[in-house]
Amino acid sequence: PSERDPDRSADTIDSFVVDITSDGQRIVGAGALRGNVLHKLMEELLNGELSSVREEVTQRAAELLEQLQVVVDDEADIGRPNPVEMATTALRTFGLPELAPFIARMVPEVPLWAASPPRFLAGRADAAVAEDERIVLVVDWKSDVNPNAEAQGAHAAQLRDYLRVTEAERGAVVYMSSGYVAWIEPRSRDDQPD
């Protein structure tokens, strides 16, 4: 996690022992590893920890890859993601014209939660934009190279849950590999299941 996460307490985190060999902590496959690195690069670009200089982003991608490689499932026969490709993808995403009006106001890694029994939601939006102390846009980064219709539907459904919780006006599923932004509107109250 980023040291700047406002909901992260070093005292709390340090009091837990994490076993990186447990199945719950493993990253399985090169795609998942690439996705974790891309998400972290976007977080650091948005919060200013990382400049948008290609060489610096590439170096940071390599560092993250090295750190995360430790928790990759060693039994899987995977290729190692390329730091140059990941840096290029993150920088291209950071510079998407559709996101330009929001980039300066995007806050990465926003915790979300809601309890409306029997429904509960706990998650973290990849990024959000607020105006007048109200979230108006929720962004979800997706690193999938070629998501099928079912995956895209699941991505939209997840984002709609976040829109419902935040009461945001709209959301964006950003497919980083292709540079495509899918704008998602919240469902009207009439469309929501009982």
Side-chain angles (χ1 to χ4, degrees):
S2 173
E3 292 177 3
R4 293 187 183 184
D5 281 352
D7 63 335
R8 178 179 183 261
S9 167
D11 295 329
T12 303
I13 298 295
D14 292 341
S15 67
F16 291 95
V17 176
V18 177
D19 177 7
I20 64 170
T21 62
S22 72
D23 289 338
Q25 296 294 320
R26 296 178 90 84
I27 298 171
V28 180
L33 179 60
R34 178 179 176 268
N36 278 292
V37 172
L38 286 172
H39 276 73
K40 188 64 177 169
L41 291 174
M42 291 306 297
E43 175 187 349
E44 293 181 2
L45 284 165
L46 288 172
N47 69 20
E49 287 182 67
L50 184 61
S51 75
S52 57
V53 174
R54 183 170 308 281
E55 293 78 21
E56 290 180 29
V57 179
T58 301
Q59 179 181 350
R60 181 62 176 144
E63 290 170 2
L64 290 167
L65 184 60
E66 197 61 38
Q67 292 169 1
L68 289 173
Q69 193 70 40
V70 173
V71 294
V72 171
D73 188 348
D74 293 329
E75 297 171 11
D77 183 21
I78 62 171
R80 188 177 170 101
N82 183 312
V84 174
E85 182 277 329
M86 290 185 291
T88 300
T89 299
L91 288 169
R92 183 180 60 239
T93 302
F94 192 67
L96 285 172
E98 296 96 322
L99 301 179
F102 309 105
I103 285 287
R105 298 178 292 145
M106 268 189 208
V107 176
E109 300 297 316
V110 177
L112 304 174
W113 61 91
S116 181
R119 293 179 153 177
F120 299 89
L121 176 102
R124 188 177 287 270
D126 292 333
V129 175
E131 289 177 2
D132 300 321
E133 298 185 24
R134 180 173 142 348
I135 294 178
V136 295
L137 175 67
V138 178
V139 178
D140 195 14
W141 313 120
K142 294 297 181 189
S143 60
D144 307 46
V145 173
N146 190 18
N148 61 26
E150 183 180 345
Q152 290 178 35
H155 299 157
Q158 174 190 4
L159 195 56
R160 279 197 182 94
D161 285 343
Y162 289 176
L163 295 177
R164 183 176 41 82
V165 168
T166 61
E167 298 181 356
E169 297 166 4
R170 66 179 174 164
V173 177
V174 180
Y175 292 98
M176 300 174 72
S177 297
S178 66
Y180 175 69
V181 179
W183 294 102
I184 307 296
E185 302 294 328
R187 287 191 173 164
S188 70
R189 297 219 186 276
D190 297 336
D191 294 339
Q192 294 183 11
D194 294 328

